[in-house]
Amino acid sequence: MNTLNNENTHSQCAKMFNHLQSGKTINPLPALNKYDCFRLGAPIYDLKQIGFSIDKRMITAKNGKKYAEYSMRVN
């Protein structure tokens, strides 16, 4: 399911793409703070559907909770 059906979603995807393309990683907290993105998985899914290679690494926080951290393979 492609969620790139409105301008706001497209803009979030572009911001995530630029962030990842610069060689940085992103996880849910910075996505929320920097880009007002509550569902990081949605723009990541859309970028993958377009054809970008995005890796996911699961992180375990000190409190035992797990979250995903994403990075892009930059050529």
Side-chain angles (χ1 to χ4, degrees), residues 15-67:
K15 289 175 186 176
M16 295 298 156
F17 173 76
N18 290 333
H19 182 95
L20 292 168
Q21 190 179 39
S22 72
K24 299 175 189 171
T25 61
I26 193 150
N27 64 57
L29 191 55
L32 178 59
N33 291 333
K34 291 181 180 184
Y35 307 116
D36 294 327
C37 179
F38 285 94
R39 293 182 56 237
L40 178 57
I44 295 297
Y45 174 84
D46 289 337
L47 291 170
K48 285 181 175 182
Q49 291 299 305
I50 294 168
F52 294 106
S53 296
I54 298 176
D55 296 321
K56 176 172 97 171
R57 180 172 71 126
M58 293 306 294
I59 308 289
T60 303
K62 291 179 183 178
N63 63 4
K65 300 210 181 223
K66 294 183 181 187
Y67 60 91

